[in-house]
Amino acid sequence: MSRSIEIVEVGPRDGLQSEPGVVPTAAKVEFIERLIDSGLKRVEVTSFVNPKKVPQMADAEQVLAGLRRREGVSYIGLVLNRKGYDRAVAAGCNEIGMAVVASDTFNRRNQGVGTDESVAAWLEIAREAKAAGIRATITIGASFGCPFEGEMPVGRVIEVARRVAEGSPYEIAFADTIGVGVPAQVAEIFGRVREALPGVRLRAHFHNTRNTGLANAYAAVEAGVATLDSSCGGIGGCPFAPAATGNIPTEDLVYLLSRSGVATGVDLERLIATGEWLQQALGRPVPGMLVKAGSFPKPSSQAA
Ligand code: ZN
């Protein structure tokens, strides 16, 4: 099992996009700066999508313009098509994340086109990004189940993975968009992906909708995944996935991993403080447990 795991913080995008109200740009910028201060090196800062469909992300360009650029940090913009890619590059993202959905029905609901068309758009974007020297990653949504089509055959997930792999992505992420996965499924999917696509860097994205998110994350680490997505405070969802609540909380994940001897490079106390700040900024409690319970053992400064 890997002794270190990289975390992609998705709270500013996956988290804030499902907020009922629009969070002010200045608060988003402060949130991202605090996350980076706590040691997170890859942050999904926004998405470049239709502002009519996702009004919470309408200030994508302004968020990028407000950030202090730091060496060694990936500022990831999520895109769904070529238009979004062009906006993200113009705004200064140094990493692009694109999503396609394993389920054709879900892909149509989310992106207005079928999976095949999204894969074709990804392959074009991947070429452009390579030429421009921008890191490009691809996420396969609904890999663990679909709200419209039900169970997702592993063969279908592998087929989509093989096709997106033709774009030579930095990594391929497999997302449990609606939080239905269980650890046995995680082991099966990543085991079969590793067989089908040896050497490809793997990433996992879990939602905690049915309280299996952290168990799935641990199973993914055991299955050889290099990178896990999570959101500070466990905020998050998908406006197009019914009842898709909360990503796995970054603080809870860091606690689980560090106490298990898996390094993350994240300062847990600073991250918990950011979760507390986030509760104030949103004006409501966040789902994550460490923000409520605190770490253990207590840091030595507080032990006396
Ligand atoms: Zn998500």
Side-chain angles (χ1 to χ4, degrees):
M1 199 172 111
S2 174
R3 292 293 100 191
S4 73
I5 282 287
E6 181 186 49
I7 294 177
V8 173
E9 167 64 43
V10 298
R13 197 282 303 172
D14 211 355
L16 296 185
Q17 81 170 10
S18 60
E19 279 299 303
V22 175
V23 175
T25 306
K28 292 179 179 175
V29 168
E30 181 170 356
F31 184 30
I32 295 162
E33 297 289 7
R34 283 173 178 270
L35 292 165
I36 298 167
D37 286 342
S38 72
L40 290 154
K41 294 265 187 281
R42 290 176 75 191
V43 183
E44 204 173 77
V45 292
T46 189
S47 63
F48 294 86
V49 294
N50 185 344
K52 289 199 187 86
K53 287 193 175 160
V54 189
Q56 292 88 344
M57 297 288 119
D59 61 352
E61 278 82 2
Q62 291 92 310
V63 169
L64 265 297
L67 292 169
R68 181 160 62 87
R69 296 313 169 90
R70 297 189 234 188
E71 195 69 28
V73 173
S74 287
Y75 298 88
I76 309 169
L78 183 79
V79 307
L80 298 179
N81 52 37
R82 178 60 197 266
K83 192 177 168 196
Y85 169 80
D86 289 340
R87 281 179 62 201
V89 172
C93 287
N94 57 356
E95 179 174 339
I96 298 297
M98 181 163 167
V100 303
V101 190
S103 148
D104 195 63
T105 311
F106 196 170
N107 204 90
R108 284 179 196 283
R109 296 250 189 163
N110 196 41
Q111 305 178 201
V113 295
T115 305
D116 287 349
E117 286 162 90
S118 285
V119 169
W122 151 251
L123 294 174
E124 186 199 341
I125 286 168
R127 269 195 307 275
E128 291 284 334
K130 185 161 279 180
I134 292 169
R135 182 192 281 177
T137 70
I138 183 79
T139 293
I140 302 175
S143 288
F144 296 78
C146 171
F148 311 109
E149 295 183 8
E151 295 279 11
M152 188 54 55
V154 182
R156 166 69 179 171
V157 177
I158 304 282
E159 179 201 324
V160 175
R162 279 189 196 281
R163 283 157 60 199
V164 298
E166 287 166 22
S168 306
Y170 173 72
E171 73 200 349
I172 302 179
F174 296 81
D176 186 7
T177 312
I178 57 167
V180 291
V182 295
Q185 203 182 1
V186 173
E188 189 196 357
I189 288 178
F190 284 105
R192 288 194 44 195
V193 169
R194 285 176 72 177
E195 267 173 35
L197 297 166
V200 169
R201 190 181 159 91
L202 303 176
R203 170 173 159 196
H205 178 104
F206 296 113
H207 283 263
N208 202 33
T209 316
R210 290 168 180 81
N211 227 9
T212 57
L214 283 174
N216 290 340
Y218 200 75
V221 175
E222 289 183 316
V225 162
T227 305
L228 288 166
D229 290 4
S230 60
S231 76
C232 181
I235 58 169
C238 171
F240 306 101
T245 53
N247 293 92
I248 54 172
T250 309
E251 316 77 62
D252 298 17
L253 177 66
V254 168
Y255 177 80
L256 169 79
L257 294 176
S258 64
R259 296 258 298 158
S260 306
V262 181
T264 62
V266 178
D267 180 331
L268 183 55
E269 295 304 322
R270 289 190 88 149
L271 195 58
I272 291 172
T274 300
E276 288 165 351
W277 172 88
L278 183 61
Q279 296 197 123
Q280 299 290 323
L282 298 177
R284 61 172 175 79
V286 295
M289 299 306 287
L290 264 283
V291 172
K292 303 175 189 84
S295 189
F296 178 88
K298 288 290 172 212
S300 51
S301 59
Q302 288 172 25

